[in-house]
Amino acid sequence: AAIKNGWTLESVIRDGPIAIPMGFIKVGNKWVRRPPKWIANYDGKFKGFIPLRKALAESRNAPTIRLATIIGVEDVLETAHSLSIKTALQPYITTAIGASEVNLLELANAYRTMASGICAKPYSVARVTNRNGETVFVEDKKTGLLEIDPLKLQQVQEGLRGVIRIPGGTAHSLDNSDFPVPTMGKTGTTNSFR
């Protein structure tokens, strides 16, 4: 969503404390403002102003929330749906860091779509025949190109390569120059390295 909105991997964003409002809760007859939720990074540290490339590679939550706030949760959700996420996503800013549940096959397919630029519905059963050998079901194998400027798609792909290639990237341990194909990845992070 950021790349589609004109951000680049070299655009700088602040990795610093950020809080999101949590709305109100009814206590008895009164509505009381809930305390804000402070967003932390998995390592408990902030790095100041960093390029998006580094924020993505290191799976930094605070800059991701800040960026989603700037772009708007609607664009984040729209982009997820354009990548074949069909699960209903919650319209909360924390969805940008994984707060909405997503079907695992849809999530894997979204990353496949970013890697290839091709939208395709994943399937596990290609064809079903009856006892007479007649086909009773054939999976629809329609494909189409992801609707994104090819240069912007290349930026997304380069950012995902950085997760592995950049020292400090959350999957840097997988970096291997002997690997026969360009490798992209994205890891998640959670509290206390769980």
Side-chain angles (χ1 to χ4, degrees):
I3 299 296
K4 283 176 31 179
N5 280 284
W7 291 70
T8 71
L9 293 174
E10 302 315 317
S11 296
V12 174
I13 189 129
R14 183 168 177 246
D15 179 15
I18 185 169
I20 54 173
M22 296 300 291
F24 292 84
I25 187 169
K26 193 168 187 178
V27 177
N29 296 357
K30 297 173 103 182
W31 285 96
V32 178
R33 183 183 300 273
R34 295 170 59 192
K37 165 75 173 158
W38 285 91
I39 302 299
N41 292 314
Y42 71 96
D43 60 2
K45 299 175 185 174
F46 298 104
K47 296 191 171 188
F49 289 91
I50 60 174
L52 290 188
R53 175 187 308 276
K54 184 172 187 147
L56 176 64
E58 295 182 4
S59 197
R60 312 294 297 169
N61 289 338
T64 302
I65 290 294
R66 185 166 274 110
L67 185 58
T69 301
I70 293 167
I71 293 168
V73 71
E74 298 82 15
D75 275 355
V76 172
L77 299 179
E78 180 182 308
T79 299
H81 291 302
S82 75
L83 294 168
S84 301
I85 299 287
K86 303 294 183 218
T87 303
L89 300 172
Q90 298 301 315
Y92 306 134
I93 205 70
T94 52
T95 293
I97 57 173
S100 288
E101 293 181 13
V102 175
N103 173 296
L104 182 58
L105 187 57
E106 289 179 6
L107 184 60
N109 191 44
Y111 281 107
R112 187 209 43 77
T113 300
M114 285 185 277
S116 68
I118 298 171
C119 295
K121 181 180 171 190
Y123 62 91
S124 54
V125 176
R127 183 170 48 115
V128 176
T129 57
N130 64 20
R131 66 179 80 173
N132 298 326
E134 299 165 327
T135 301
V136 295
F137 171 81
V138 176
E139 179 61 44
D140 180 7
K141 296 181 185 177
K142 290 182 190 172
T143 62
L145 295 177
L146 180 60
E147 293 184 20
I148 185 172
D149 177 313
L151 295 176
K152 292 183 183 220
L153 179 59
Q154 287 176 359
Q155 279 194 68
V156 171
Q157 293 167 340
E158 177 58 25
L160 293 173
R161 278 193 275 285
V163 174
I164 294 169
R165 195 182 66 248
I166 295 173
T170 54
H172 183 64
S173 63
L174 300 175
D175 189 28
N176 182 346
S177 59
D178 296 332
F179 204 68
V181 296
T183 307
M184 295 177 234
K186 180 66 187 93
T187 63
T189 54
T190 186
N191 300 341
S192 304
F193 297 95
R194 288 181 280 146

